[in-house]
Amino acid sequence: MAKRPPITNRVKELRAAHDEMSQAALAEAIGVTRQTVIAIEQGRYSPSLESAFRISRLFGVGLEDVFGWEEGSPDA
Amino acid sequence: MPFREKTAWAMIVILTLAGLFYYQKIIAISLTAGETAPPIVPLVIAYVVFIIIASIIVMPIVAAISGKEANAPADEREEMILAKAGNWSGYALGFAAVAGLFNYAWTQDGNLLFHTIFAGLMASQIAEYGFQVWFYRRGV
């Protein structure tokens, strides 16, 4: 199995806080597929810096309010 | 299931069927002749034509059941999946090439060298689509 990136995110939580925005709507807004949004939310994929900025700007929060480094990760 | 994963599954089936058809003929001819069959160009053409026709039939069906997603370009994650799968599948081809060369050095059988390299090409193509499915499902 592919190694999970040691990056946490609050994308699902932020979607819910923004009028229950759908995964498809978020995907379209940032220019990726719905499957990629699902993979990000499940922690199976770390988005590019560009997409990370697009997500944070869409929700009107800072980058570190969306993404964080997993505590206890060997590389922390 | 993403559109490109569906197409990968379709290509795995098409390429596997074409490969089985090709090597079933080659093995049968080799057994009858009592030696490795020479490269048979019409059979290679039939193999390629089968893949083209099957793709022409199957891909529009896959696109039709995938809706507008079929027309969308690959996003950043999909591009990474395609690139990584292509890279890994190169190892399958490399392995077949090295195996074929060693086999030729040992047996001096040029026909077997041809079939080994051709099988490597087939295997690497199937492996590429297999790795795509793997990365779609398990993460990249």
Side-chain angles (χ1 to χ4, degrees), chain A residues 26 29-31 49-59 63:
Chain A
L26 174 59
I30 65 169
L49 197 53
E50 183 183 336
S51 292
F53 268 109
R54 286 184 192 280
I55 293 169
S56 64
R57 287 170 65 86
L58 183 74
F59 292 133
L63 206 54

Side-chain angles (χ1 to χ4, degrees), chain A residues 3-71:
Chain A
K3 189 181 170 189
R4 287 177 83 89
I7 294 170
T8 59
N9 74 78
R10 294 174 53 233
V11 174
K12 192 173 182 180
E13 191 183 327
L14 288 164
R15 270 197 310 110
H18 282 72
D19 297 330
E20 297 288 340
M21 179 189 277
S22 70
Q23 290 171 328
L26 174 59
E28 193 171 344
I30 65 169
V32 299
T33 62
R34 192 174 71 86
Q35 283 78 24
T36 294
V37 169
I38 293 169
I40 291 169
E41 289 186 357
Q42 292 177 346
R44 288 188 290 114
Y45 174 68
S46 294
S48 67
L49 197 53
E50 183 183 336
S51 292
F53 268 109
R54 286 184 192 280
I55 293 169
S56 64
R57 287 170 65 86
L58 183 74
F59 292 133
V61 295
L63 206 54
E64 289 197 78
D65 295 318
V66 186
F67 298 97
W69 191 264
E70 194 171 342
E71 292 303 326

Side-chain angles (χ1 to χ4, degrees), chain B residues 6-40:
Chain B
K6 287 186 200 125
T7 62
W9 276 114
M11 288 310 295
I12 288 170
V13 172
I14 291 169
L15 290 168
T16 303
L17 288 176
L20 288 174
F21 159 78
Y22 179 87
Y23 275 101
Q24 172 256 323
K25 295 279 185 196
I26 291 295
I27 289 169
I29 292 167
S30 299
L31 289 175
T32 306
E35 59 183 16
T36 310
I40 303 168

Side-chain angles (χ1 to χ4, degrees), chain B residues 18 21-22 26 39-53 114 118 122:
Chain B
F21 159 78
Y22 179 87
I26 291 295
I40 303 168
V41 175
L43 201 52
V44 174
I45 293 170
Y47 167 80
V48 173
V49 169
F50 173 82
I51 290 171
I52 292 169
I53 292 173
F114 175 87
F118 198 55
M122 292 178 183

